[in-house]
Amino acid sequence: MSGGRSNNSNNNNRRSNRRRRGNKKATVKPEDFWGSLDSLPDEQANVRITTQPAAVVKSLGRAPLSGHHNVAEHYFTAVYDRSVALASALAAAGDLLAPSDEDA
């Protein structure tokens, strides 16, 4: 049983060492890492929402999952649809959606 205690104390020492190392301040200024706001391009409201989110991926052919093509395609399509929905919501929140043909 004493072997378990010494092993546990070693784990605690490792954890405390990790905590001490993690408290160092970053030496890089955020502006140096991310760049200046002046270098960003002007925003453009030209995001168009696709009606076929899986078109590019489906053009590559079926997924190499023998015996599970239909199930995999169903789940992949669900992921693509959800991705488009989230991206569309972000674009709408940022007022970046392009005017649709119906708006004209």
Side-chain angles (χ1 to χ4, degrees), residues 1-74:
M1 295 267 179
S2 64
R5 287 183 182 170
S6 64
N7 190 14
N8 191 21
S9 64
N10 286 340
N11 286 338
N12 288 335
N13 288 338
R14 288 185 200 144
R15 288 182 189 146
S16 64
N17 286 341
R18 280 189 228 144
R19 284 188 209 128
R20 278 186 241 142
R21 280 187 251 139
N23 290 337
K24 293 181 181 180
K25 297 284 182 182
T27 57
V28 178
K29 294 179 183 178
E31 299 84 26
D32 293 340
F33 181 77
W34 294 105
S36 70
L37 291 175
D38 299 332
S39 64
L40 292 174
D42 294 333
E43 62 183 48
Q44 298 176 0
N46 61 359
V47 175
R48 290 181 179 80
I49 300 171
T50 183
T51 57
Q52 297 177 341
V56 172
V57 178
K58 286 183 178 182
S59 73
L60 299 174
R62 297 185 103 178
L65 301 171
S66 60
H68 302 285
H69 297 292
N70 293 334
V71 173
E73 187 173 332
H74 168 75

Side-chain angles (χ1 to χ4, degrees), residues 44-49 87-100 103:
Q44 298 176 0
N46 61 359
V47 175
R48 290 181 179 80
I49 300 171
S88 301
L90 286 172
D95 199 29
L96 297 174
L97 291 176
S100 66
D103 294 342

